[in-house]
Amino acid sequence: MNPLLQTHLTPSDTGVYAERRARLAQALGPNALAIIPTAPERMRNRDADFPFRFDSYFFYLCGFAEPNAVLLIDSSGHTTLLCQAKDLEREMWDGYRLGPLEAPSALGIQSAAPIAEKHAVIAKQLENKHAVWWPFATHEGLGQDVERWLDAVRAKARAGVRCPSMQSDVCAILDEMRLVKDTHEIQTMGRAGSISAHAHVRAMRYSAAALRRGEDLREYHLEAELLHAFRSGGAQFPAYTSIVAAGANACVLHYRAGNQAVVSGDLVLIDAGCELDGYAADITRTFPANGVFSAPQRDVYAVVLASQEAAVAATRPGARFNDPHDAALRVLCEGLLDLGILNRQDAGTVDDVIANRLYSPFYMHRTSHWLGLDVHDCGAYSEPLSEASAGVAPATPLTRPLVPGMVLTIEPGLYIRPAEQVPEAFHHIGIRIEDDALVTADGCTLLTREVPVAIDEIEALMRA
Ligand code: GLY
Ligand code: MN
Ligand code: MN
């Protein structure tokens, strides 16, 4: 229905997808078939669709961005794409279709067939296979479709056709593959980070300039600046709904961009990133609307920034996923005590604050998540069983060791709602600082630092 926006994504370099498919084929084991559909189109309201967004697993394996498509990959790596047939009348309305004739050469795959032949083609390919792999709990109705295709194979039993006896979750393989980004992905994520960083810079500058001009500045004006920068930078979409939260709204974690006035003296928290060629960036900056931090804002900001620095220092190969969180948490807790937001007499030491979770009214989320094709990307956070003690699951699994090529966010924050024991100067201050870290051979690289985090650098850029 609306593939126009995305058709230009047909890949120029098909080799990266071929390499991924070959790795998947190897992992399927002998005599197996993987069935991976793209996402369905979704209606927003009568006759108006949500913009189409392909399924991330599907896209990862072929780079094909049209709707109504299914990928079939067998153990030998032989790949068939089921896709929309050419239809000049439909294309007049909805846009170009690659079509099954062109698909093999354009995508570097072995064969293609019209999606209308899906049931027959899949049932045929399942004949005499040992196992079928498909993404569990991901596509509504796919489990029933698989049963239906298997039934069609079983119906041929007396003709000597064997039906697969194993069904497995292909996400178990693909999640592990997607967790460690390849060169192509790292380059794309770097560009997504760069476009998103410039969007934040643009919004910061706009905020200070609009207030200097005495304009009626609203949260949605800043969102508009972000969207402008994403699109003019070449990104297709925001990777998630942007958060633009002025003043007390920053303490609402899932606030969107509303119409609240952005006034001098407020902090503004913006959590926004673009999606470029399928890959997400995820950045949060918190800045003074008028470009100058007040003393209490500066104090809290300095704690959050120091906690982020501690987390960044803890992000390196061999460290566990939880190590950056633990490092950030300790600094945040020290800060809560130092600023008198927690009372030392009542709360005790930093270790007491951590053990008794006294930080939780002010810091209620984790510090990191995986990032990639999905903003909260796939991949287990706990240590894979085979690496843990001889395949026996420990009662509390450890988080997994970081390895080069993983990308995670580092996003500590403090959100200070009014409470009797909290000094009034800090009430309603909400600060988060979020960057995207690529684990490297000896530490990590932040992909999103073209927007500054240091107080003096933010103030300088907002003066400009
Ligand atoms: N923007 C979503 C997140 O930070 O997790
Ligand atoms: Mn995030
Ligand atoms: Mn975010």
Side-chain angles (χ1 to χ4, degrees):
M1 287 192 274
N2 55 11
L4 255 186
L5 189 61
Q6 295 270 314
T7 46
H8 68 282
L9 279 184
T10 300
S12 53
D13 176 5
T14 57
V16 293
Y17 303 99
E19 194 269 335
R20 293 174 196 160
R21 289 194 301 272
R23 286 174 59 205
L24 171 63
Q26 173 88 30
L28 294 177
N31 206 21
L33 182 73
I35 304 171
I36 299 146
T38 196
E41 295 176 283
R42 294 182 205 278
M43 192 159 289
R44 183 171 183 275
N45 56 331
R46 187 195 301 242
D47 278 353
D49 299 318
F50 281 109
F52 176 69
R53 168 54 159 77
F54 42 75
D55 175 81
S56 295
Y57 295 110
F58 173 91
F59 185 78
Y60 179 73
L61 293 167
C62 62
F64 184 56
E66 287 186 31
N68 294 316
V70 180
L71 205 54
L72 308 175
I73 301 171
D74 74 14
S75 305
S76 75
H78 186 281
T79 300
T80 304
L81 178 73
L82 296 154
C83 64
Q84 301 177 120
K86 293 294 283 181
D87 178 334
L88 292 184
E89 193 186 339
R90 284 314 325 157
E91 288 176 65
M92 206 174 345
W93 289 87
D94 300 330
Y96 173 78
R97 294 177 175 186
L98 183 59
L101 273 182
E102 297 292 331
S105 60
L107 301 174
I109 57 174
Q110 285 68 43
S111 63
I115 189 74
E117 295 170 18
K118 172 170 87 170
H119 297 304
V121 171
I122 295 178
K124 185 79 196 155
Q125 291 213 12
L126 284 170
E127 287 182 9
N128 297 314
K129 292 284 190 304
H130 168 62
V132 54
W133 295 74
W134 52 279
F136 288 5
T138 305
H139 300 264
E140 208 179 317
L142 181 58
Q144 283 141 308
D145 279 343
V146 170
E147 286 306 328
R148 172 177 168 185
W149 298 322
L150 292 174
D151 276 344
V153 183
R154 285 183 196 111
K156 295 184 174 176
R158 270 180 288 159
V161 175
R162 273 183 294 117
C163 181
S165 58
M166 297 250 303
Q167 292 190 45
S168 298
D169 187 0
V170 77
C171 301
I173 302 171
L174 292 174
D175 286 356
E176 286 297 303
M177 287 174 61
R178 283 176 53 190
L179 191 49
V180 179
K181 274 65 183 175
D182 59 33
T183 310
H184 172 85
E185 296 182 288
I186 290 167
Q187 279 168 359
T188 309
M189 292 187 76
R191 287 168 49 223
S194 178
I195 294 166
S196 305
H198 285 103
H200 279 258
V201 168
R202 184 179 170 108
M204 283 179 187
R205 287 207 167 114
Y206 187 89
S207 177
L211 292 184
R212 280 196 292 269
R213 291 192 297 265
E215 289 173 13
D216 176 19
L217 178 66
R218 304 289 168 145
E219 292 165 334
Y220 59 76
H221 290 126
L222 299 181
E223 184 187 26
E225 295 303 303
L226 298 166
L227 293 173
H228 179 98
F230 291 167
R231 254 342 234 142
S232 57
Q236 289 82 12
F237 301 109
Y240 52 91
T241 307
S242 306
I243 296 172
V244 180
N249 292 336
C251 294
V252 181
L253 291 181
H254 289 165
Y255 189 80
R256 305 302 189 193
N259 63 1
Q260 180 165 312
V262 179
V263 297
S264 208
D266 273 356
L267 285 177
V268 183
L269 182 156
I270 294 184
D271 182 345
C274 72
E275 180 178 300
L276 176 73
D277 296 353
Y279 286 83
D282 186 4
I283 305 181
T284 307
R285 289 292 183 268
T286 310
F287 58 89
N290 63 10
V292 183
F293 284 88
S294 72
Q297 291 168 352
R298 182 180 284 263
D299 288 345
V300 181
Y301 191 95
V303 169
V304 177
L305 183 56
S307 79
Q308 202 212 27
E309 283 163 359
V312 170
T315 302
R316 53 189 147 70
R320 290 190 180 269
F321 174 78
N322 234 21
D323 290 345
H325 173 71
D326 291 342
L329 187 60
R330 177 158 287 274
V331 176
L332 291 175
C333 292
E334 281 163 4
L336 289 169
L337 290 168
D338 290 346
L339 294 176
I341 295 169
L342 287 173
N343 181 325
R344 267 184 219 281
Q345 242 84 60
D346 304 332
T349 65
V350 172
D351 289 324
D352 297 330
V353 172
I354 293 171
N356 299 319
R357 298 178 61 84
L358 300 181
Y359 56 83
S360 64
F362 312 105
Y363 186 46
M364 58 298 278
H365 58 79
R366 308 287 302 177
T367 304
S368 300
H369 54 80
W370 306 129
L371 184 73
L373 282 164
D374 297 310
V375 64
H376 290 180
D377 208 28
C378 60
Y381 288 97
S382 54
E383 183 166 51
L385 249 193
S386 53
E387 288 174 34
S389 50
V392 180
T396 316
L398 290 169
T399 58
R400 67 190 305 157
L402 300 177
V403 302
M406 289 176 166
V407 180
L408 62 156
T409 63
I410 304 182
E411 49 179 308
L414 286 175
Y415 313 92
I416 307 170
R417 287 168 175 271
E420 211 176 298
Q421 73 285 3
V422 173
E424 207 176 325
F426 299 124
H427 288 186
H428 300 301
I429 290 181
I431 292 173
R432 178 165 65 255
I433 305 173
E434 175 174 26
D435 283 286
D436 303 341
L438 165 69
V439 181
T440 58
D442 54 3
C444 70
T445 299
L446 300 179
L447 305 175
T448 42
R449 275 297 171 88
E450 287 168 59
V451 52
V453 283
I455 288 177
D456 54 348
E457 288 177 31
I458 290 176
E459 290 186 341
L461 114 77
M462 293 183 72
R463 266 196 304 275

